[in-house]
Amino acid sequence: MRKIRPNDPSWADVTPKADFLNRRQIMAGAGAMALGSIAGPSFASIDAKPSKFSTDAKPNTLKEITSYNNFYEFGWDKSDPAQYAGQLVTDPWSIEIDGMVDKPGSYPLDDILKPVTLEQRIYRFRCVEAWSMVVPWIGFELSSLLNRVGVQPSAKYVAFQTLYRPEQMPGQKQGGIDWPYVEGLRIDEAMNPLTILATGLYDEEMPNQNGAPIRLIVPWKYGFKSIKSIVKISLTDKQPPTTWNQLQPREYGFYANVNPKVDHPRWSQATERRVGAGLFAGRQETLMFNGYGDEVAQLYKGMDLAKYY
Amino acid sequence: MISATLSAPINTALRRVPSWAVYLAGLIPLAWVVWLTLTGGIGVDPVKAIEHRLGKIALWFLIGGLAITPARRFLGINLIKYRRAIGLLAFFYVALHLIAWVVLDMGMLWAQAAADLIKRPYLFFGITAFVLLIPLAVTSNNASIRKLGKNWRRIHMLVYPAVALGVIHYLWQMKVISSEGWLWLGVFIALMAIRFRSFRW
């Protein structure tokens, strides 16, 4: 029998990196011996430098992050992504960048990643469903990519699109949502240093169920804004459609900023439940902009956030 | 109606099953939830899982209770003597579901819970279903049946709006209504349709 879930998952609860590397090394070594070669094992481990934008809150465990999330392309249930995302092929991968940019084109992922410095960004993550986690992402600032492709002055918004591949994403065979999933940001939101494209979790490559190989993270907005498995980025002068806003505009606005004062019509956003905090941990208060107000509040100066939710 | 050659032996076998056995069997789903919770098998978000599982189990019993009359009318299978057990088990699981919401999910933030109950239609439907079930549970004993006479039947008609509200509550809390959601709605509508049609026969 396994012990009851720990009340406070800490770094100590995570399988030490050395342990599973060691296991891989043993397996790789066994494989190498079987082949009669002396090829050394290769690791997918990512070295990322720490960031001043990281919270010092305790991250959730890798298991929590990878087995409890929404990725409707793989099914409605929070356990579906982990169960069905294994069949998704993420290599080769390229992102089409078009619209109001100087250098449009289809960019292989390797080319996108070659010049960037990966950082570890430990961010609070707040789902619109009123639960939250703390996630150690690995990624780079979206602005660096946009600057490389040359955003034209006329561009006001960035539109994103997720992969559409129903043969590998069984959820896309179901109705309910107009596939492919689309999202968007205003250009100043996209250029904010908090906004990253993430390619990893802890020090591993991004698991398929969390949006491999590359996804958006906008930590002051509800999780659904952080579009996964991106295949297309378009610069435009018009506010792009976003999947949840199209589906249910009363419940999900374009901005999707974490705001304890603007309720979802079906539930309050005043508080949140931290996943992994334990059976009787109760709820904690939700912070305006998920606690990132110092960095982003000025983006919305003068806007009625009850109207632009 | 299925042939009496099939239903008769089923009914004969059923006569040997005392209703306390139904109460006992009805606790198995609860034991399963407790077991999963204690062993960590309930998933990474035990609070939601416990709450949702209890609600779903309540729905099984509510729908099960509604199926008893059609089962007798159309299949000739007589489960009437277990209807009280099934109804009380349904109420028990609805109450546990509510307790799980208040204690585990809301963390006993009573003010927020109360405000949500009034403001959120799906929560309002859920709590209304629970309130409608209270008089049914309270009068599910022989003394009440004797005392209330014809009124007992009338009171117990509340089960229809209660289950309807429960089903709406279940569908409304989903971001996108799943096929399972539509399935339960379909079963409920089918049970209602055959029941109210049969009144005219």
Side-chain angles (χ1 to χ4, degrees):
Chain A
M1 197 198 284
R2 294 209 328 250
K3 65 174 177 158
I4 301 174
R5 294 170 33 67
N7 276 2
D8 250 332
S10 70
W11 285 102
D13 294 317
V14 181
T15 308
K17 182 74 184 169
D19 284 7
F20 59 84
L21 280 191
N22 196 28
R23 207 186 58 196
R24 283 192 195 173
Q25 207 153 11
I26 291 164
M27 294 187 322
M33 272 194 287
L35 289 169
S37 94
I38 52 161
S42 70
F43 303 137
S45 170
I46 300 170
D47 268 329
K49 60 176 194 142
S51 164
K52 62 174 175 163
F53 293 111
S54 286
T55 166
D56 52 9
K58 276 181 199 158
N60 280 79
T61 63
L62 185 64
K63 189 185 170 210
E64 285 162 349
I65 298 166
T66 55
S67 60
Y68 185 83
N69 66 317
N70 293 312
F71 195 166
Y72 282 33
E73 279 77 350
F74 294 105
W76 305 130
D77 206 88
K78 283 186 185 55
S79 56
D80 286 339
Q83 198 175 345
Y84 298 112
Q87 52 193 307
L88 176 66
V89 177
T90 59
D91 187 20
W93 193 274
S94 56
I95 299 181
E96 195 188 334
I97 305 181
D98 65 8
M100 296 165 172
V101 291
D102 296 332
K103 288 173 272 183
S106 179
Y107 291 88
L109 189 61
D110 286 348
D111 292 355
I112 289 173
L113 296 182
K114 218 173 283 164
V116 305
T117 308
L118 292 177
E119 284 185 11
Q120 183 180 58
R121 294 280 181 107
I122 305 172
Y123 280 161
R124 290 179 292 275
F125 181 96
R126 171 64 154 78
C127 179
V128 72
E129 297 165 341
W131 53 268
S132 65
M133 286 191 185
V134 175
V135 185
W137 304 107
I138 291 187
F140 61 97
E141 290 178 14
L142 172 62
S143 63
S144 73
L145 175 63
L146 295 180
N147 288 332
R148 272 159 60 203
V149 295
V151 176
Q152 295 171 356
S154 49
K156 301 276 183 291
Y157 294 91
V158 190
F160 302 88
Q161 189 176 311
T162 301
L163 181 70
Y164 177 70
R165 199 183 281 164
E167 68 276 15
Q168 289 173 12
M169 301 175 114
Q172 289 180 332
K173 290 177 197 150
Q174 295 169 313
I177 287 180
D178 254 344
W179 312 108
Y181 192 99
V182 289
E183 258 303 343
L185 294 172
R186 219 168 55 189
I187 196 84
D188 54 347
E189 297 177 320
M191 289 298 187
N192 188 281
L194 285 178
T195 305
I196 60 168
L197 288 172
T199 57
L201 251 185
Y202 277 91
D203 50 4
E204 296 287 298
E205 283 176 14
M206 186 66 72
N208 283 2
Q209 61 265 39
N210 294 85
I214 187 164
R215 66 171 290 177
L216 182 71
I217 298 296
V218 195
W220 70 91
K221 292 174 182 280
Y222 293 120
F224 68 87
K225 201 77 185 165
S226 299
I227 187 169
K228 303 182 180 88
S229 303
I230 298 168
V231 293
K232 191 172 174 187
I233 299 176
S234 307
L235 279 289
T236 154
D237 58 357
K238 287 181 193 66
Q239 182 175 304
T242 66
T243 290
W244 285 103
N245 180 244
Q246 278 181 314
L247 197 67
Q248 197 53 268
R250 219 170 70 84
E251 301 189 348
Y252 312 100
F254 173 80
Y255 283 93
N257 288 323
V258 175
N259 188 343
K261 291 188 221 88
V262 175
D263 287 347
H264 183 283
R266 287 181 287 155
W267 54 82
S268 164
Q269 296 289 19
T271 59
E272 66 203 47
R273 233 163 28 75
R274 171 77 192 282
V275 170
L279 262 191
F280 297 99
R283 304 177 85 85
Q284 60 189 50
E285 280 185 18
T286 288
L287 301 172
M288 187 67 203
F289 297 119
N290 202 23
Y292 296 98
D294 286 349
E295 289 88 353
V296 301
Q298 82 280 358
L299 295 175
Y300 308 101
K301 213 183 263 169
M303 286 176 73
D304 179 359
L305 294 182
K307 194 176 157 207
Y308 298 99
Y309 53 85
Chain B
M1 188 182 290
I2 57 169
S3 73
T5 50
L6 214 65
S7 58
I10 293 174
N11 288 332
T12 310
L14 279 173
R15 266 194 286 278
R16 283 191 220 109
V17 180
S19 56
W20 61 259
V22 175
Y23 283 107
L24 211 59
L27 294 177
I28 292 172
L30 176 63
W32 178 237
V33 171
V34 172
W35 168 255
L36 287 178
T37 305
L38 294 178
T39 57
I42 196 101
V44 301
D45 189 9
V47 171
K48 273 285 169 207
I50 290 168
E51 182 184 316
H52 287 175
R53 278 173 185 267
L54 290 171
K56 189 69 78 59
I57 297 164
L59 187 64
W60 299 344
F61 283 104
L62 288 169
I63 296 281
L66 290 184
I68 286 176
T69 298
R72 186 171 65 165
R73 202 180 298 253
F74 297 102
L75 305 176
I77 296 170
N78 188 358
L79 297 162
I80 296 292
K81 84 167 171 177
Y82 309 116
R83 190 161 64 179
R84 178 185 295 172
I86 290 181
L88 284 172
L89 282 163
F91 181 76
F92 173 65
Y93 281 104
V94 172
L96 287 180
H97 172 63
L98 181 63
I99 290 167
W101 176 70
V102 172
V103 176
L104 302 181
D105 191 343
M106 295 309 293
M108 293 196 270
L109 295 174
W110 293 100
Q112 193 189 330
D116 275 3
L117 274 182
I118 298 162
K119 266 161 79 179
R120 321 284 165 209
Y122 86 99
L123 290 177
F124 184 73
F125 290 155
I127 197 75
T128 307
F130 172 73
V131 170
L132 291 179
L133 289 172
I134 292 172
L136 278 67
V138 170
T139 59
S140 283
N141 54 72
N142 294 338
S144 295
I145 295 173
R146 276 195 302 272
K147 214 162 125 198
L148 290 165
K150 216 188 285 172
N151 287 328
W152 187 91
R153 259 187 86 84
R154 289 191 187 135
I155 291 170
H156 282 248
M157 297 281 266
L158 285 175
V159 74
Y160 304 119
V163 183
L165 289 170
V167 170
I168 294 171
H169 164 78
Y170 169 62
L171 295 182
W172 202 316
Q173 51 86 34
M174 296 179 197
K175 269 212 266 189
V176 173
I177 295 175
S178 66
S179 39
E180 195 188 351
W182 292 121
L183 187 76
W184 281 110
L185 180 67
V187 169
F188 174 71
I189 290 173
L191 284 173
M192 288 298 93
I194 54 177
R195 172 159 323 212
F196 289 109
R197 239 179 92 107
S198 64
F199 282 152
R200 279 189 266 119
W201 288 351

